[in-house]
Amino acid sequence: QFAARRHQGLLLVLQELVLGLDEALQVAVVLEDPPQVALQPGALHAQARHVVDRLTALQRAALEQREDIRPIMEAELAGYTFDRIGGDMDALLEAVVLELPFTFWQYYGESFCAGLVDPETATTRQLFDTLDGFVGFFLLADVVFDFYGPYFYQAHYQLGFPGIRSDHLADLLTGDAGNVEAGQLPSDASPPVFDAEAMPDVERWIRSSGERLLFIYGENDPWTAGAYDLTGASDAHTFVDEGGTHGAQ
């Protein structure tokens, strides 16, 4: 089995070999920490548009240089399969490229803008490293999708999942790239019928019956768009971390 956790440029991989649960291989793959820039709170939003433009330019640069990036991917990812995301390097690259803005805002944010290379001068290797550092090609491997299969099933059944924008790259995409946030259902599972009332029912319970509940959101975390509406709740409260990400606490 496999578990992965990303935290500010550190990818910690714990992989249990098929030899048995007690014979585990622990591998720590440390990626170079993206440089941080000290910004005053008032300067955060002023940087946002620049970061959005830089991310878009990086997406386009990576897709335009796919022929040169592919050999690096094949060498770095040898030994892993990516059949669940499309089965070839082009499908994998496109899925990671589309995921870049979402993951950047989810885990990193404006203070990491200096870690985004200049797409006009970046080498092919730098483009690969940027995608791998901020998203992670390995996290789209079959073994990862298999591990998180139960979560993705519930996402398709009750939780829902974010849509990933692709229209701005339509001229560079070669196929129907997979939505990383939608994930992949377990191979032996039939697609469930989405229950659109499940999460609103939880929200209604929070407002009417929830006690001593605190909801903490990161201002820049894309998931905050789905924050609960606590209007009328008597004992539930929302806190938003200014400029914060998925790690807000």
Side-chain angles (χ1 to χ4, degrees), residues 205-230:
W205 177 87
I206 291 172
R207 290 202 299 264
S208 63
S209 305
E211 296 180 357
R212 293 174 292 177
L213 298 174
L214 301 178
F215 293 87
I216 303 174
Y217 299 101
E219 181 185 25
N220 288 341
D221 181 8
W223 289 99
T224 299
Y228 279 135
D229 178 6
L230 301 183

Side-chain angles (χ1 to χ4, degrees), residues 18 23 40 58 67 76 78 82 86 91 142 144-145 148 189 208 221 242:
V18 294
E23 296 183 38
Q40 298 301 317
L58 281 169
E67 295 298 326
E76 295 287 342
F82 298 88
D142 293 337
V144 181
F145 281 127
Y148 286 107
S208 63
D221 181 8
E242 181 180 4

